[in-house]
Amino acid sequence: KAGVTQTPRYLIKTRGQQVTLSCSPISGHRSVSWYQQTPGQGLQFLFEYFSETQRNKGNFPGRFSGRQFSNSRSEMNVSTLELGDSALYLCASSLEGSLNQPQHFGDGTRLSIL
Amino acid sequence: KQEVTQIPAALSVPEGENLVLNCSFTDSAIYNLQWFRQDPGKGLTSLLLIQSSQREQTSGRLNASLDKSSGRSTLYIAASQPGDSATYLCAVITYQAGTALIFGKGTTLSVSS
């Protein structure tokens, strides 16, 4: 069974631009969560989608948004990029989004802002 | 607000040693606790998940325990190998935050041959 796939693996953008990251969950998984990982703050929760609906949201500004499609694939968008948005963005999927199921992570998208 | 702390931040051991990684959390109202491994430049690999009603879980050379009342978990690695070198992260899901994993900063383990 294929794992969680994130594309692209690497991105370089400049301040003020916008970016879209993609995540394909494990087949059959309906919940997709997004996390930001930086050396200073560690891993922080961005949001979770389940059945095309945002079910939970972390403490990030409105520049960070996402969506989920009917096939459970998810995209994350960041507008008006800032230098501090440089990070590894990780996507995780789980079967039903149940609170008692493990989350499975992709290898992430490394975003660098110049 | 839930805070997760992992001590030590880094650990170096010779091959073959048994070792313990520590994780503590401030709010005991958790659904579960999960241990992950992260290799450099990679995503997270789930190692063990302990439900809030469980005391421990085992997988191969790994054993994780959970003491909810004291807000502590340990990950025991038996007979360490160089291939165990990685960063180990613990994360909890709490009643308050719902589906969000709240992570510690991790312990970076180096096992020398």
Side-chain angles (χ1 to χ4, degrees):
Chain A
K1 198 182 231 186
V4 178
T5 304
Q6 291 189 246
T7 56
R9 287 297 315 278
Y10 303 94
L11 265 179
I12 299 175
K13 293 285 187 180
T14 57
R15 280 182 298 173
Q17 288 186 309
Q18 76 165 24
V19 67
T20 299
L21 313 181
S22 179
C23 172
S24 293
I26 292 172
S27 177
H29 285 195
R30 295 166 63 194
S31 167
V32 174
S33 298
W34 288 89
Y35 292 83
Q36 180 195 67
Q37 186 175 30
T38 60
Q41 299 297 317
L43 274 151
Q44 294 183 285
F45 172 75
L46 281 155
F47 28 66
E48 185 228 2
Y49 285 86
F50 180 76
S51 293
E52 301 179 64
T53 301
Q54 187 181 87
R55 188 163 65 173
N56 198 0
K57 188 176 189 309
N59 189 26
F60 277 81
R63 301 186 296 108
F64 292 81
S65 63
R67 59 178 175 168
Q68 186 180 35
F69 301 94
S70 59
N71 62 358
S72 294
R73 190 177 71 85
S74 177
E75 288 182 347
M76 189 189 92
N77 185 275
V78 188
S79 62
T80 318
L81 287 165
E82 301 176 359
L83 292 177
D85 297 333
S86 294
L88 180 66
Y89 289 88
L90 292 164
C91 159
S93 75
S94 65
L95 196 59
E96 293 265 336
S98 164
L99 297 171
N100 288 318
Q101 293 176 352
Q103 295 194 27
H104 301 272
F105 282 77
D107 282 341
T109 294
R110 172 77 61 185
L111 176 62
S112 299
I113 311 301
L114 304 179
Chain B
K1 180 189 166 187
Q2 177 75 268
E3 290 184 6
V4 180
T5 303
Q6 292 186 249
I7 294 173
L11 181 63
S12 292
V13 300
E15 182 177 5
E17 266 203 16
N18 302 324
L19 59 101
V20 174
L21 306 181
N22 296 294
C23 171
S24 61
F25 47 95
T26 55
D27 181 0
S28 62
I30 65 169
Y31 284 108
N32 63 53
L33 183 144
Q34 199 166 353
W35 282 94
F36 294 91
R37 167 189 173 135
Q38 186 174 31
D39 293 286
K42 295 285 195 176
L44 279 62
T45 300
S46 178
L47 297 174
L48 290 164
L49 180 147
I50 310 177
Q51 313 282 13
S52 62
S53 58
Q54 297 175 319
R55 297 283 291 182
E56 65 179 310
Q57 281 285 342
T58 298
S59 176
R61 294 183 294 108
L62 305 179
N63 176 277
S65 69
L66 174 64
D67 184 342
K68 233 178 56 163
S69 60
S70 68
R72 293 176 190 273
S73 176
T74 61
L75 178 67
Y76 175 82
I77 302 177
S80 59
Q81 303 170 357
D84 295 330
S85 299
T87 296
Y88 291 80
L89 296 141
C90 75
V92 297
I93 288 190
T94 67
Y95 295 167
Q96 184 176 32
T99 52
L101 281 165
I102 299 172
F103 284 88
K105 293 279 180 77
T107 293
T108 299
L109 173 66
S110 175
V111 182
S112 55
S113 56

